[in-house]
Amino acid sequence: MMSSSIDRLKQLKELLFIEREEDYRQYKEQFLRASIEQRKKNGVTWFPVKILSDELGYADYVHIELERTSELDMPHQFSAGKNVTLFSNKNPEDLKELTGTIKQSGKNKMKIILHTDELPDWCYEGRLGVNIQFDDNSYIEMQKALDEVIAAKHNRVAELREIIEGIESPTFEKIESDIVIPQLNFSQNNAVKHILSANDIAVVHGPPGTGKTTTIVQAIRLVLQTEKQVLVCAPTNTAVDLLTEKLIEQGINVLRVGHPARVSEDLLKTTIDGQVQNHSNYKDIKSLRRTAEEYFKMASKYKRVFGKEDAKQRALYYTEARNCIKESRLLEDYIVDSLFENAQVICCTPVTSTNKALSRKKFNTLFFDEASQALEAISWIPLLKCNRVIFSGDHFQLPPVVKSEKAKKGGLDKTMLDRCTQQKGISTLLNRQYRMHQHIMQFSNNYFYNNQLEADATVKNTLLSNHEEFEILNIPIELLDTAGCSFDELQNPETLSLSNKGEADIVFKHLDLLLQNYQYSGETTKIDIGIISPYKEQIELLKEKLLTVDVTSFAVNELTVKTIDGFQGEECDVIYISLVRSNPSSEIGFLSDIRRMNVALTRAKKKLVVVMDTATIGNHPFYKSFVEYCETNNFYKSAWEYSYQN
């Protein structure tokens, strides 16, 4: 009986290997096919850069600080811990490269530890650049976790494996039914009771706007009354930051594990580095490091001198420097150990839970948020440290990113949350949403949630304006159909991503009209506006157009342009969605991922504007239903109405 779970996990390992190979293939293609300009746009290359300083550091590795000299402040994917390549393009036929690891990364500067003891001459000639290298770490940790789960016998890991497989049933304790948290509604209070009663696994199903984070934080607060410490994970740093923030607001002592480069600036004080720097002993660590630096500098003066006495003196300086570093590290380790010992909650991403300070720690409870976005293999990494797990998320929203079609067909994108929600009694639903107008909610409610959601009275009928003469402000949804407008999609031959100029124009024409009406209506409350699209190429086009638009004279708090994935967990008063696809063969590509579209359609609070070509997209059952929903409620309009407005 037990072999069925082990066989499936062995197959999961094979699928993970296929995914890793595809990921690496795409990485190589991104560098081989893409021009240097495109790689800069994608945030995987800085070029040109200049070296600001270099010094010989610990273990005789060269430490450099460099700065990019163009595309300043452009978003990038460089962060601490990632492996990079420093290169010179002086002679393309004879490419010069050095590998290294990012020590620290900012907007336009980074510090790199190069895997060499001196800078070669080519670093001072020609123009230098930096490329991101393929990062294998998460794959290595997932494979290690799966090996441990497969090998588990007669222990807690083996029990959890069989429960998740559905072979064994989870158990729940009877708890006091009079627990009521005043700030939570009925379904949220039920979810907290469900969590407290779970011995093995519980799932809180939190559809958009239902207060999932609020509920989880209150549950953590109550669990801490009987447990000294809990582990909290989420697959993205953004989700981990949000939970950290909310827990701190409750007065809970949180340690945010993760490199400062990946943590929001407001939360740096909660990180290991932040808390170490605020510790009373930190001044002693700084003093030891300064002394070590002085010894290294003195030693480096001898690096091109080969006399016996000079070599002896150089070795002596290195010994003193290393002794200072060793002492500072011992002191820092002592502080870090005390931080891990005293924190009530440790927050991190799953891979970061392999941090060496966590290697020997065990927890009773793991809270795993946004579990719908986490591969099963990655969920096992923190779960191996825990006796029970509380998953929260929405399996009708963003699935995990799987790049290999073969791995996806094999089921790699099926999460632990998916498995658990298929079992009776594990899942509890939050059914009251506090984000959006009832009509914005209702399509997803019909299609995904069996009409179980209800809009709270505080948001149910909230519009941009109730003045009848400003129709654009008092209709909660507009579907702008571009069928027949000849707004054809265009593919970028380098990135293979798609854009649609006609749709981008319509978005900004409609936005201009909306803002003018909002101003004329006399409404003064500042609004947040989001413009989203599934395609990165369209995002770039929309961002370019945004540069030509001045909204400072209108009551706009913030106007952001992001991909759908970038808007996960966020909300705006007004959301524009540009679906891009417009072709004679009705190809819609990954628009067929309706869970991703569910995310897009549920970001708006007061106004949702969807721009799409129904002739291309409307044949798909999901979009057909959405078009019918809009037609039934008089939300359908032809884009012709806006095409020729000046």
Side-chain angles (χ1 to χ4, degrees):
M1 190 99 177
M2 190 172 282
S3 65
S4 65
S5 63
I6 291 172
D7 288 345
R8 188 186 63 78
L9 288 166
K10 283 179 178 174
Q11 191 195 356
L12 192 64
K13 260 191 80 175
E14 288 172 23
L15 293 174
L16 197 60
F17 179 76
I18 292 166
E19 171 68 5
R20 188 252 173 224
E21 292 299 294
E22 174 61 18
D23 195 2
Y24 186 55
R25 186 194 68 77
Q26 288 187 21
Y27 163 81
K28 284 198 297 185
E29 201 172 72
Q30 192 176 31
F31 277 90
L32 293 172
R33 176 165 41 191
S35 67
I36 203 160
E37 289 305 314
Q38 190 57 52
R39 299 203 314 261
K40 282 156 71 174
K41 257 188 181 180
N42 292 343
V44 295
T45 295
W46 279 10
F47 181 83
V49 298
K50 63 178 179 183
I51 295 175
L52 300 175
S53 65
D54 67 281
E55 60 185 22
L56 197 64
Y58 183 69
D60 289 2
Y61 283 146
V62 173
H63 292 220
I64 64 167
E65 182 177 19
L66 53 80
E67 181 177 41
R68 57 176 164 177
T69 56
S70 66
E71 281 81 30
L72 299 182
D73 300 332
M74 184 184 277
H76 61 80
Q77 298 180 38
F78 293 91
S79 58
K82 283 194 175 181
N83 291 329
V84 291
T85 306
L86 181 72
F87 67 88
S88 167
N89 79 329
K90 187 184 180 189
N91 182 0
E93 289 162 17
D94 180 25
L95 188 67
K96 304 287 189 185
E97 290 183 334
L98 264 179
T99 61
T101 304
I102 300 175
K103 184 182 178 188
Q104 192 178 325
S105 172
K107 273 188 178 175
N108 299 308
K109 291 181 183 178
M110 72 171 94
K111 291 181 179 176
I112 301 171
I113 301 171
L114 293 171
H115 305 149
T116 181
D117 61 356
E118 65 178 288
L119 281 178
D121 291 341
W122 58 259
C123 289
Y124 304 100
E125 306 158 1
R127 295 206 293 174
L128 300 176
V130 185
N131 286 329
I132 286 180
Q133 282 191 307
F134 183 71
D135 187 4
D136 234 1
N137 190 38
S138 60
Y139 289 106
I140 292 166
E141 294 300 339
M142 284 191 280
Q143 293 282 9
K144 274 164 61 178
L146 287 178
D147 285 339
E148 191 173 332
V149 180
I150 290 165
K153 284 180 184 173
H154 313 301
N155 61 11
R156 187 56 177 154
V157 173
E159 288 169 3
L160 288 170
R161 178 187 68 209
E162 301 311 299
I163 292 168
I164 287 163
E165 198 64 32
I167 293 168
E168 301 291 335
S169 297
T171 62
F172 294 85
E173 299 287 335
K174 279 192 174 180
I175 60 158
E176 294 293 325
S177 57
D178 59 352
I179 295 172
V180 176
I181 301 164
Q183 61 265 47
L184 300 187
N185 65 37
F186 182 76
S187 68
Q188 290 170 334
N189 269 298
N190 270 351
V192 172
K193 288 175 197 169
H194 186 63
I195 289 166
L196 296 177
S197 71
N199 291 322
D200 313 291
I201 294 173
V203 171
V204 175
H205 181 194
T210 51
K212 178 166 55 73
T213 306
T214 303
T215 306
I216 293 304
V217 165
Q218 289 302 319
I220 292 169
R221 188 178 61 78
L222 288 185
V223 167
L224 285 169
Q225 292 178 4
T226 55
E227 296 176 21
K228 183 176 180 284
Q229 198 173 61
V230 299
L231 181 62
V232 173
C233 282
T236 66
N237 281 294
T238 308
V240 177
D241 284 346
L242 177 63
L243 276 164
T244 304
E245 208 174 279
K246 298 292 181 190
L247 288 162
I248 289 167
E249 284 172 11
Q250 292 292 313
I252 292 167
N253 178 5
V254 184
L255 181 62
R256 170 71 166 95
V257 182
H259 195 278
R262 295 193 177 115
V263 179
S264 97
E265 282 191 29
D266 297 341
L267 296 172
L268 287 176
K269 61 183 180 297
T270 68
T271 63
I272 299 170
D273 286 18
Q275 294 196 39
V276 165
Q277 284 173 20
N278 286 326
H279 197 276
S280 55
N281 289 98
Y282 184 63
K283 60 182 186 299
D284 299 327
I285 293 173
K286 274 181 84 172
S287 174
L288 285 163
R289 282 179 182 164
R290 270 198 302 270
T291 306
E293 214 170 283
E294 288 303 315
Y295 280 126
F296 275 131
K297 275 181 185 170
M298 288 190 275
S300 68
K301 290 175 185 173
Y302 291 91
K303 73 176 176 184
R304 294 191 184 275
V305 182
F306 300 101
K308 199 174 180 183
E309 283 304 311
D310 290 336
K312 193 176 174 185
Q313 188 62 48
R314 183 179 183 228
L316 191 65
Y317 284 141
Y318 270 134
T319 302
E320 289 299 330
R322 289 187 181 113
N323 285 339
C324 287
I325 285 172
K326 188 179 177 184
E327 205 176 324
S328 74
R329 281 183 179 159
L330 285 170
L331 187 53
E332 189 169 348
D333 287 346
Y334 166 76
I335 296 170
V336 169
D337 286 345
S338 70
L339 292 176
F340 276 96
E341 185 62 31
N342 297 322
Q344 291 174 284
V345 175
I346 292 170
C347 282
C348 58
T349 58
V351 174
T352 314
S353 71
T354 59
N355 182 291
K356 64 173 184 178
L358 279 167
S359 60
R360 294 181 305 278
K361 285 191 87 68
K362 287 284 181 187
F363 303 85
N364 188 50
T365 306
L366 165 65
F367 282 86
F368 200 118
D369 195 19
E370 302 294 3
S372 63
Q373 291 181 64
L375 292 172
E376 179 178 351
I378 216 163
S379 301
W380 273 115
I381 297 171
L383 185 47
L384 290 171
K385 300 176 181 298
C386 305
N387 288 321
R388 68 172 189 145
V389 58
I390 313 301
F391 288 120
S392 54
D394 180 6
H395 47 292
F396 297 126
Q397 289 194 63
L398 284 183
V401 174
V402 174
K403 294 179 179 179
S404 161
E405 277 305 312
K406 187 179 177 183
K408 191 180 280 189
K409 281 176 185 164
L412 186 64
D413 64 343
K414 189 169 185 181
T415 66
M416 276 197 197
L417 188 76
D418 294 330
R419 294 192 182 284
C420 292
T421 49
Q422 288 169 357
Q423 298 180 41
K424 276 189 175 179
I426 289 185
S427 184
T428 181
L429 176 75
L430 304 178
N431 67 358
R432 183 176 289 263
Q433 69 84 13
Y434 296 87
R435 174 180 296 161
M436 63 202 106
H437 188 284
Q438 59 185 336
H439 288 311
I440 299 174
M441 171 196 79
Q442 196 53 44
F443 173 71
S444 286
N445 194 18
N446 288 341
Y447 203 93
F448 294 101
Y449 305 108
N450 297 320
N451 272 322
Q452 289 178 280
L453 300 186
E454 54 184 68
D456 189 70
T458 55
V459 297
K460 192 174 183 178
N461 298 303
T462 309
L463 297 161
L464 288 172
S465 173
N466 289 311
H467 294 302
E468 284 183 20
E469 65 270 32
F470 298 103
E471 187 192 34
I472 198 170
L473 306 179
N474 58 46
I475 300 177
I477 300 177
E478 283 184 74
L479 165 57
L480 305 184
D481 185 4
T482 66
C485 292
S486 299
F487 293 163
D488 297 335
E489 64 189 54
L490 283 174
Q491 186 174 54
N492 182 318
E494 286 188 341
T495 65
L496 302 183
S497 187
L498 299 161
S499 64
N500 190 316
K501 184 180 178 301
E503 280 197 12
D505 290 342
I506 289 292
V507 165
F508 280 97
K509 280 176 180 175
H510 190 282
L511 174 62
D512 183 54
L513 196 63
L514 182 138
L515 290 176
Q516 286 185 39
N517 274 265
Y518 194 70
Q519 192 173 51
Y520 297 148
S521 72
E523 298 285 349
T524 55
T525 306
K526 285 199 168 188
I527 55 175
D528 291 316
I529 301 167
I531 303 175
I532 59 184
S533 175
Y535 292 94
K536 285 182 180 175
E537 199 66 27
Q538 183 73 346
I539 291 298
E540 291 304 319
L541 179 60
L542 289 163
K543 281 180 176 175
E544 278 176 34
K545 286 191 74 69
L546 184 59
L547 294 173
T548 65
V549 176
D550 182 16
V551 296
T552 53
S553 57
F554 296 104
V556 175
N557 183 45
E558 196 173 2
L559 203 170
T560 51
V561 178
K562 289 182 184 178
T563 60
I564 295 172
D565 296 42
F567 256 103
Q568 169 80 350
E570 293 189 26
E571 60 188 25
C572 284
D573 297 297
V574 182
I575 288 284
Y576 284 86
I577 306 173
S578 169
L579 291 181
V580 176
R581 300 310 302 255
S582 181
N583 57 70
S585 49
S586 293
E587 286 180 24
I588 68 167
F590 64 74
L591 290 191
S592 56
D593 183 351
I594 60 174
R595 292 193 290 180
R596 183 167 265 102
M597 284 313 302
N598 185 35
V599 171
L601 294 172
T602 53
R603 301 303 97 198
K605 297 199 283 188
K606 300 173 184 177
K607 176 86 176 181
L608 172 67
V609 183
V610 181
V611 184
M612 67 185 274
D613 179 350
T614 59
T616 298
I617 303 171
N619 295 321
H620 186 284
F622 174 80
Y623 296 99
K624 187 170 186 255
S625 296
F626 181 67
V627 173
E628 286 168 358
Y629 175 75
C630 290
E631 286 174 338
T632 303
N633 291 282
N634 296 318
F635 300 148
Y636 174 91
K637 287 186 179 179
S638 170
W640 283 103
E641 291 183 38
Y642 299 97
S643 291
Y644 300 108
Q645 290 187 16
N646 294 320

